[in-house]
Amino acid sequence: MAIPAFQDLMRPILAHLDDGEEHRFRDVIDAMGDEFGVSAEERAELLPSGGARLFDKRCGWAMTHLAQAGILVRPRRGYSQITETGRKVLIDYPERVDLRVLRNFEGYEQFRSRVRKEKPEPVEKASDNEETITPDEMIEAAGGENRAVIQDELLTHALNLSPTGFENLDVGLLENMGYGQAGNVERTSVSGDAGVDGIISQDPLGLDRIYVQAKRYALDRAVDRPRIREFAGALLGKQGDRGVFITTAKFTKGAIAEAEKINARIELIDGQRLGELLVKYRVGVQTQKTVELFRVDGDYFDNL
């Protein structure tokens, strides 16, 4: 039989995960191949552009979309696990789970909103297959969806890092953004420098400094006003007037207001913005492929 579409794989994957255990991605893919009767030749079929296997990719995208809706989670690298929400979906939708079902969940709508920021109209049409769009729009739409997914996956990896690893990640990001080029960027938490995890020296003598605080929190948590006040106190103790507070979580309105009112300039980077910056400045990601689009060079023909 033909290789199933990724939406056709969603409910079978959920059903396979219904035991509540952690399952390896590879094992889920193999189980879906058996369930759908995908032949060895079909399982080995590559994408038209080469590289990845088509069936693996479709299973992967099905799991990615389910994860965006909170129907399954990735407890650790290379594994998936159903959530209580996922179990309820199996009961409520006994026939089929697809994108229309996922859109009932707030987390998935937030994901789609991030995708639409890149290219609003084409992404909507591409997801629904409502009409033909241009190749340029298809690439823009796919790129926007890819970036939104990768940003979330980066946060998952960041949460699994040790405190030291997360600090190194943030310091590496700031270096890639161009900070400390004339001076240096260093991590300080290992030296017991209370309240500060990194220092960016903008000049060779270290006279112009930016202080960094890096905190890993669960994605559904929020950094509140007291944490910002503590960081501001640490800056004051160092006679600093600029700082960057980076977290995997969100900031409360009180925390944002606190950062705005204190004398020191504190830039807040929450989880969503952290994911965007990691992709933008190529930290923890690799370019998988590039696509060339061509147009006719009218000037060339005019000069013949």
Side-chain angles (χ1 to χ4, degrees):
M1 65 177 293
I3 296 175
F6 83 98
Q7 293 190 69
D8 295 335
L9 289 158
M10 288 182 176
R11 195 182 190 285
I13 286 174
L14 275 182
H16 181 73
L17 299 175
D18 194 30
D19 61 5
E21 300 295 325
E22 296 180 6
H23 288 258
R24 241 179 17 123
F25 286 176
R26 184 70 259 164
D27 294 338
V28 175
I29 292 170
D30 290 343
M32 291 303 101
D34 295 341
E35 181 167 340
F36 282 88
V38 182
S39 68
E41 292 76 15
E42 289 170 331
R43 297 188 199 204
E45 182 180 338
L46 300 180
L47 290 165
S49 56
R53 289 183 287 192
L54 177 60
F55 182 62
D56 290 8
K57 275 293 185 182
R58 289 187 179 176
C59 289
W61 275 109
M63 287 187 275
T64 291
H65 282 265
L66 291 170
Q68 296 298 333
I71 292 172
L72 61 80
V73 293
R74 292 164 172 155
R76 52 196 173 111
R77 184 178 179 181
Y79 285 78
S80 281
Q81 185 177 31
I82 196 171
T83 64
E84 288 303 316
T85 301
R87 284 200 166 115
K88 187 173 186 302
V89 166
L90 283 174
I91 296 171
D92 293 344
Y93 300 92
E95 299 298 327
R96 179 177 172 82
V97 175
D98 55 22
L99 296 184
R100 291 182 180 84
V101 173
L102 302 191
R103 288 170 190 164
N104 294 316
F105 297 92
E106 181 181 355
Y108 192 74
E109 281 302 297
Q110 291 173 353
F111 164 68
R112 294 181 72 224
S113 295
R114 294 198 300 276
V115 173
R116 284 194 294 265
K117 277 201 315 183
E118 305 289 344
K119 195 74 174 175
E121 289 304 316
V123 170
E124 190 76 17
K125 294 171 183 174
S127 297
D128 295 339
N129 291 321
E130 290 175 353
E131 61 181 75
T132 301
I133 60 177
T134 69
D136 309 67
E137 292 170 331
M138 290 177 67
I139 291 172
E140 287 288 341
E145 183 170 358
N146 173 260
R147 283 188 290 276
V149 169
I150 295 302
Q151 287 161 17
D152 286 347
E153 291 184 359
L154 284 168
L155 288 184
T156 299
H157 281 280
L159 281 170
N160 289 328
L161 291 172
S162 66
T164 298
F166 184 61
E167 293 159 10
N168 287 336
L169 175 72
D170 295 336
V171 168
L173 170 62
L174 293 169
E175 285 183 303
N176 277 30
M177 292 175 69
Y179 290 99
Q181 287 186 349
N184 63 76
V185 180
E186 60 179 307
R187 187 171 58 80
T188 61
S189 62
V190 292
S191 63
D193 203 344
V196 172
D197 297 319
I199 300 175
I200 303 168
S201 296
Q202 293 287 75
D203 63 277
L205 295 178
L207 298 175
D208 184 9
R209 292 185 169 188
I210 300 173
Y211 296 91
V212 182
Q213 177 72 274
K215 291 296 183 185
R216 292 176 310 136
Y217 291 120
L219 302 183
D220 57 353
R221 284 191 57 185
V223 177
D224 53 14
R225 187 188 298 266
R227 302 287 81 75
I228 304 302
R229 193 175 295 131
E230 290 170 4
F231 184 42
L235 292 183
L236 181 62
K238 296 179 176 300
Q239 298 182 323
D241 61 357
R242 285 181 295 170
V244 181
F245 196 119
I246 305 175
T247 182
T248 51
K250 302 176 182 177
F251 293 99
T252 64
K253 292 181 179 179
I256 295 171
E258 185 71 19
E260 291 176 347
K261 79 174 187 179
I262 60 179
N263 291 332
R265 168 75 183 275
I266 296 180
E267 185 70 19
L268 303 180
I269 299 178
D270 62 12
Q272 180 175 333
R273 189 177 176 198
L274 174 60
E276 293 171 353
L277 291 173
L278 289 171
V279 172
K280 180 177 180 179
Y281 291 97
R282 303 296 191 268
V283 178
V285 298
Q286 294 178 335
T287 300
Q288 185 173 11
K289 67 181 64 176
T290 57
V291 178
E292 287 185 299
L293 292 182
F294 300 94
R295 65 176 177 83
V296 173
D297 184 352
D299 292 339
Y300 172 81
F301 287 96
D302 289 342
N303 292 321
L304 291 179

